[in-house]
Amino acid sequence: MPLNVLILAAGRGVRMRSALPKVLHPLAGRPLLQHTIDTARLLTPRKICVVYGYGGETVPQTIAGDDLVFVKQEPQLGTGHALMQAMPALAANPASATLVLYGDVPLIGRETLTRMLANGDRRLTLLTVALGDPTGYGRIVRDAQNAVRAIGEQKDASEAQLNITEINTGIMLIPTACLPGWLAKLTTENAQGEYYLTDIVALAIADGVEVAAAQPNHNWEALGVNSKAQLASLERIYQQNIADALLEAGVTLVDPARLDVRGNLRCGADVFIDINCVFEGEVVLGDGVRIGANCVVRNSTVGAQTRLEPFSLIDDAQVGADCSIGPFARLRPGTTMGMGAKIGNFVETKKAVIGDGSKINHLSYVGDTDVGRNVNIGAGTITCNYDGVNKHRTVIEDDAFIGSDTQLVAPVTVGRGATLGAGTTLTADAPAGQLTISRARQSTIAGWKRPVKKGKQ
């Protein structure tokens, strides 16, 4: 059926105690609103209309998409008022039904919404859930035949209605053709002085339109965010769902409660992930990969059987099979490691191509560098790639040996099989197969005495 999706995202979220609009607060690394939009897109609607307000243009500037229409609600006079502002956009994108979602209800699932759509475009369908503590929510009022008759808002509900545990989530599917007439009849005669969208239930019944109710697969799908505490609670639900899926797929998680996936994580067979690891963006872990505790992997691919030791950061890197990284290593964007390569403790790389079997074991910086196969780079080595204006590249060919405490001042090339003596500062190319060394000749100065500190005058 032709569908419009309308996402209400105008509120400030006073209890968030933040200048950032509530719908832009992150859940699993993405704004709350983005989660709702991504789910809405799975329904292939004709258009997605986002009603924004607090924060000015921050929301449309942050959330982009050619399929999105942004409508500003100012002032914010309730959910019904929000739909009034969106009507011109909805009229420009005719559809037989309009699905109302919320930018601060990020976990609503595709299956639940699909089930609502199955009710068709001639009914007003409400998404409801039963809560042990329904305080703060509008109550679903049913008649003796169990048909929905009204929604009692918390501030306007009678004592009998306050005892009802079935609540309105706010998510609803509305026959689009009925919207103009129903919205025109809304009033602000209520405790909050706002236009309640929920008042269309009574209007639908008066017009002989059936009001149906659907329930989500899980109650948490309908949970909203009004405070940092609620945001943290939803974060844990989201992460637990991911952890459960990974466990079901055969991934070993030492503690599923101490895992954060802020993007998409794909794992091969026999992957092991220790505690407190964070995965951001698009991450692929090959078969048999082992991730040590407290690691961060961002937008990277890690090859089969590679081991990532604790407290290491992999950022926009491509790591081959059978590699070893860390502990306390940092691979910055543009790093590529070949098969069997090794990056040791306190090593940083950036835009470095490291060949098969090469080793950078300790306390080194290798940036803007092409490292060949089976190269050994000693402790304390630095590629001096920046002259204050431009970056320059260093080339270290196959089988070279770089002694400890060496500085390679780019642009410079170390030939195949060359050896650089410890303490060398290389400013010109080192020929293949030979020893190159540059250091001051050692000498001892007889009779030299160490200075002593002068007393106070």
Side-chain angles (χ1 to χ4, degrees):
M1 104 184 129
L3 179 69
N4 282 329
V5 174
L6 180 63
I7 302 176
L8 306 187
R12 175 181 180 179
V14 175
R15 290 167 56 195
M16 300 295 285
R17 302 194 183 280
S18 171
L20 186 69
K22 177 171 62 172
V23 296
L24 296 185
H25 283 262
L27 174 76
R30 290 181 293 154
L32 294 169
L33 175 58
Q34 189 66 61
H35 287 269
T36 306
I37 289 172
D38 290 345
T39 300
R41 283 172 172 153
L42 298 177
L43 305 175
T44 62
R46 288 187 171 181
K47 275 291 181 181
I48 300 174
C49 180
V50 179
V51 179
Y52 71 101
Y54 178 77
E57 303 307 308
T58 307
V59 170
Q61 289 171 355
T62 303
I63 307 292
D66 293 338
D67 58 339
L68 302 179
V69 175
F70 288 92
V71 174
K72 192 170 186 179
Q73 182 189 16
E74 192 176 34
Q76 287 91 55
L77 300 177
T79 51
H81 181 256
L83 261 71
M84 295 174 189
Q85 312 312 301
M87 280 309 299
L90 297 180
N93 298 283
S96 56
T98 295
L99 178 65
V100 178
L101 302 176
Y102 293 82
D104 59 357
V105 182
L107 300 186
I108 187 65
R110 178 185 185 180
E111 290 184 7
T112 292
L113 296 178
T114 300
R115 191 161 55 252
M116 289 185 67
L117 298 181
N119 276 334
D121 56 8
R122 299 190 176 210
R123 298 173 175 173
L124 172 60
T125 301
L126 311 178
L127 187 69
T128 72
V129 297
L131 297 180
D133 180 8
T135 303
Y137 292 94
R139 311 305 204 276
I140 300 297
V141 181
R142 295 177 180 266
D143 62 17
Q145 287 71 46
N146 205 38
V148 176
R149 305 306 296 173
I151 297 175
E153 293 294 341
Q154 173 78 27
K155 293 185 178 181
D156 301 287
S158 67
E159 184 174 348
Q161 290 174 347
L162 291 175
N163 291 325
I164 298 172
T165 58
E166 185 184 12
I167 63 96
N168 172 46
T169 67
I171 295 173
M172 59 179 66
L173 183 68
I174 308 170
T176 304
C178 297
L179 265 175
W182 290 346
L183 293 176
K185 296 177 181 178
L186 296 183
T187 72
T188 58
E189 296 177 3
N190 51 61
Q192 291 185 253
E194 294 182 347
Y195 295 96
Y196 290 163
L197 181 59
T198 50
D199 286 348
I200 69 173
V201 173
L203 297 172
I205 293 170
D207 287 348
V209 176
E210 182 183 353
V211 180
Q215 287 71 46
N217 287 348
H218 310 277
N219 278 6
W220 47 255
E221 292 182 46
L223 293 178
V225 174
N226 290 302
S227 67
K228 294 292 179 64
Q230 291 175 344
L231 178 61
S233 178
L234 262 63
E235 180 76 40
R236 283 302 97 208
I237 293 171
Y238 184 95
Q239 296 300 337
Q240 187 62 55
N241 291 339
I242 291 177
D244 290 344
L246 291 171
L247 291 167
E248 187 67 24
V251 176
T252 298
L253 303 177
V254 172
D255 185 350
R258 288 186 283 177
L259 169 78
D260 283 274
V261 178
R262 302 167 187 170
N264 296 307
L265 173 62
R266 290 182 287 155
C267 298
D270 298 313
V271 169
F272 173 93
I273 300 175
D274 212 328
I275 63 170
N276 298 330
C277 292
V278 179
F279 301 91
E280 299 180 348
E282 299 293 327
V283 176
V284 179
L285 306 180
D287 294 348
V289 167
R290 294 183 66 87
I291 307 294
N294 302 293
C295 289
V296 178
V297 184
R298 180 183 301 127
N299 291 318
S300 297
T301 298
V302 181
Q305 309 303 324
T306 286
R307 188 180 185 100
L308 183 58
E309 300 292 348
F311 295 98
S312 294
L313 168 61
I314 312 298
D315 187 0
D316 199 9
Q318 302 296 312
V319 179
D322 296 305
C323 292
S324 176
I325 301 170
F328 296 99
R330 183 186 182 193
L331 275 59
R332 290 169 56 191
T335 296
T336 301
M337 293 179 65
M339 290 184 59
K342 182 176 181 180
I343 299 290
N345 52 289
F346 302 103
V347 172
E348 179 183 355
T349 65
K350 189 268 294 184
K351 291 185 180 178
V353 178
I354 301 163
D356 296 348
S358 290
K359 300 177 182 179
I360 312 172
N361 281 326
H362 338 273
L363 302 159
S364 295
Y365 169 72
V366 177
D368 296 285
T369 302
D370 295 306
V371 179
R373 297 163 57 93
N374 300 315
V375 170
N376 187 88
I377 296 179
T381 295
I382 299 172
T383 57
C384 307
N385 54 330
Y386 184 50
D387 64 8
V389 179
N390 299 304
K391 298 288 182 71
H392 301 279
R393 203 147 187 92
T394 296
V395 177
I396 304 173
E397 296 181 349
D398 296 350
D399 302 310
F401 182 95
I402 310 298
S404 297
D405 194 30
T406 293
Q407 299 86 47
L408 297 97
V409 183
V412 71
T413 296
V414 178
R416 183 186 182 100
T419 298
L420 300 187
T424 292
T425 298
L426 192 72
T427 57
D429 293 351
Q434 297 187 44
L435 170 65
T436 297
I437 187 169
S438 69
R439 64 167 80 115
R441 183 179 296 276
Q442 181 173 313
S443 61
T444 299
I445 300 174
W448 180 86
K449 294 185 182 295
R450 182 179 297 169
V452 295
K453 188 172 182 179
K454 296 180 178 180
K456 291 185 179 179
Q457 300 294 328

